[in-house]
């Protein structure tokens, strides 16, 4: 009995050793993993300090984040690459992808505009820092798209203020569009909205000026008809408004009838054009403040230059020099 058990054990041990040798023969043994054959996952785990400075590793990590729509993480990696390897042959590509990552983070025009501004800034740096690169044409298209989005945002906010009768804030937004993004479609609409805003503020000359600018500068635009209708409505209105009724935020003085404080930036300068005014030049005294029921001479205080801090006892109205104020 004991001999049988010993024999069985010897046979089992021999079989095990034989099987083990066949499983791990030289022909079937796995080869060690080479460093060049690392997977994407291995790049993110267990990197040495030296590999954190390797341009290929950094760029591959950035590309992986970008393809997985992890744009915030991709931005960090692209920027890390540019900080260390700005003279690298792939630096223009990294700059392009950095700008594109910001661009792909853009949401709707009623949301935060920071990604739009950053995308425009990075695309401009691509053009300035790496002239004649292969991504320049696309970068210029993206810059125009960013500017159009920024103009849309200002128009959206300006309309929001206008609908809530916050006309000064609305005027600032509309004028920003005209000043900063004059080639956009929104700039044309901003001129019309700015004319309407000044109409609400009873700044008749500025309202006429912007409506006239819209009509003259955009003769084939669909909004030209709206500009003509606004001009017709302004011609029917009687600008007999007391000085005290005008907003104090527009014009200020350093004392009664003294040297005027510079006009706020969002106020358009005016000049005479066919009896109206036009933005873009120094103001002239086409309209003045004169006492109601009196002859308005040419030496009266100009509406576009000064505004006394306290209204006179006699109501003052807006009149053209050489006419009877009534």
């Amino acid at each position: 009995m004991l001999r049988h058990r010993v024999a069985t054990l010897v046979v089992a041990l021999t079989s095990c050793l034989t099987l083990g040798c066949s499983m791990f023969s030289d022909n079937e043994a796995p080869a060690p993993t080479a460093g060049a054959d690392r997977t994407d996952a291995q790049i993110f785990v267990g990197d040495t300090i030296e590999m954190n400075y390797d341009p290929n590793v950094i760029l591959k990590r950035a590309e992986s984040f970008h393809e997985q729509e992890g744009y915030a993480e991709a931005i960090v990696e692209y920027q890390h690459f540019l900080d260390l390897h700005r003279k690298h042959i792939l630096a223009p590509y990294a700059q392009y992808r950095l700008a594109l990552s910001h661009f792909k983070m853009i949401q709707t025009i009623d949301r935060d505009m920071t990604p739009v501004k950053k995308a425009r800034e990075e695309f401009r740096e691509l053009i300035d820092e790496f002239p004649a690169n292969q991504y320049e044409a696309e970068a210029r298209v993206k810059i125009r798209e960013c500017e159009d989005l920024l103009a849309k945002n200002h128009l959206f906010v300006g309309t929001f203020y206008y609908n809530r009768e916050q006309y000064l804030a609305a005027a600032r937004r509309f004028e920003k569009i005209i000043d900063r993004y004059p080639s956009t479609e929104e700039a044309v609409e901003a001129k019309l909205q700015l004319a309407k805003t000044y109409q609400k503020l009873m700044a008749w000359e500025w309202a006429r000026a912007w409506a006239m600018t819209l009509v003259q500068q955009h003769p084939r635009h669909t909004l030209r008809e709206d500009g003509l209708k606004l001009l017709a409505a302004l011609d029917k209105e009687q600008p007999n408004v007391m000085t005290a009724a005008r907003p104090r935020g527009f014009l200020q003085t350093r004392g009664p009838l003294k040297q005027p404080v510079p006009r706020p930036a969002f106020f358009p300068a005016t000049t005479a054009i066919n009896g109206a005014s036009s933005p873009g030049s120094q103001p002239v005294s086409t309209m003045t403040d004169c006492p109601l029921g009196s002859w308005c001479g040419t030496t009266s205080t100009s509406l576009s230059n000064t505004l006394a801090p306290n209204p006179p006892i006699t109501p003052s109205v807006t009149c053209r020099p050489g006419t009877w104020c009534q």
Side-chain angles (χ1 to χ4, degrees):
M1 188 69 177
L2 179 59
R3 291 180 179 178
H4 178 71
R5 290 181 179 179
V6 171
T8 303
L9 180 61
V10 170
V11 172
L13 182 59
T14 304
S15 301
C16 180
L17 292 174
T18 303
L19 181 61
C21 293
S22 63
M23 289 179 61
F24 299 101
S25 62
D26 293 338
N27 295 332
E28 299 180 5
T33 302
D37 296 331
R38 285 191 171 191
T39 61
D40 290 344
Q42 288 173 317
I43 290 180
F44 295 93
V45 181
D47 286 346
T48 63
I49 295 178
E50 291 77 7
M51 294 188 67
N52 287 330
Y53 294 91
D54 187 292
N56 296 323
V57 173
I58 299 173
L59 196 57
K60 189 172 183 180
R61 184 186 291 119
E63 289 289 278
S64 179
F65 280 128
H66 186 94
E67 294 303 323
Q68 297 173 18
E69 300 184 0
Y71 300 121
E73 294 83 356
I75 288 171
V76 174
E77 296 298 334
Y78 286 127
Q79 189 62 60
H80 182 48
F81 177 93
L82 291 167
D83 290 341
L84 297 177
H85 309 287
R86 186 162 287 273
K87 300 300 181 180
H88 195 278
I89 190 174
L90 293 177
Y93 175 78
Q95 180 66 44
Y96 164 73
R97 297 287 280 185
L98 171 63
L100 191 62
S101 297
H102 282 293
F103 188 84
K104 289 188 175 182
M105 293 180 69
I106 296 174
Q107 302 182 42
T108 55
I109 60 171
D110 59 336
R111 305 295 294 273
D112 182 25
M113 288 287 104
T114 300
V116 185
K117 297 176 182 178
K118 290 296 295 182
R120 182 182 59 168
E121 177 184 336
E122 297 298 344
F123 278 121
R124 283 178 175 173
E125 185 167 348
L126 172 63
I127 296 173
D128 296 338
E129 189 75 13
F130 308 99
N133 67 83
Q134 59 180 318
Y135 313 105
E136 182 173 341
E138 184 178 351
R140 294 189 184 278
V141 172
K142 293 296 185 184
I143 289 173
R144 287 193 294 269
E145 291 181 16
C146 289
E147 291 181 347
D148 186 62
L149 289 171
L150 290 170
K152 287 180 185 294
N153 174 258
H154 283 305
L155 187 63
F156 173 80
V157 177
T159 303
F160 174 86
Y161 285 134
Y162 180 90
N163 292 336
R164 282 154 183 77
E165 301 182 0
Q166 300 179 24
Y167 299 121
L168 288 175
R172 290 188 180 95
R173 289 287 181 162
F174 296 142
E175 186 128 341
K176 280 183 179 180
I177 299 173
I178 299 169
D179 291 342
R180 299 180 183 180
Y181 317 109
S183 61
T184 62
E185 181 70 17
E186 288 72 27
V188 182
E189 187 173 352
K191 293 173 184 177
L192 178 63
Q193 295 300 326
L194 192 56
K196 292 180 178 180
T197 302
Y198 285 134
Q199 181 188 25
K200 292 292 186 180
L201 289 167
M202 294 176 288
W204 314 107
E205 285 302 300
W206 289 291
R208 290 191 185 98
W210 284 111
M212 184 69 71
T213 300
L214 169 62
V215 171
Q216 292 178 345
Q217 293 183 353
H218 309 280
R220 298 182 180 179
H221 199 278
T222 55
L223 291 178
R224 184 176 186 273
E225 187 66 26
D226 294 332
L228 291 173
K229 291 179 181 179
L230 180 58
L231 282 172
L234 289 169
D235 288 339
K236 293 180 181 179
E237 295 184 26
Q238 296 295 325
N240 296 329
V241 183
M242 293 178 60
T243 303
R246 291 197 305 274
R248 294 286 180 175
F250 279 106
L251 303 170
Q252 301 175 352
T253 60
R254 298 190 182 98
L257 307 182
K258 292 184 180 180
Q259 183 70 22
V261 174
R263 187 167 33 82
F266 63 88
F267 236 80
T270 58
T271 185
I273 298 179
N274 298 328
S277 302
S278 174
S281 59
Q282 295 298 322
V284 295
S285 299
T286 57
M287 301 295 289
T288 62
D289 282 352
C290 297
L292 184 63
S294 65
W295 178 262
C296 187
T298 59
T299 60
S300 301
T301 304
S302 171
L303 170 63
S304 60
N305 289 332
T306 57
L307 175 62
N310 297 313
I313 298 176
T314 303
S316 178
V317 295
T318 303
C319 301
R320 195 174 300 278
T323 60
W324 186 266
C325 291
Q326 56 182 354

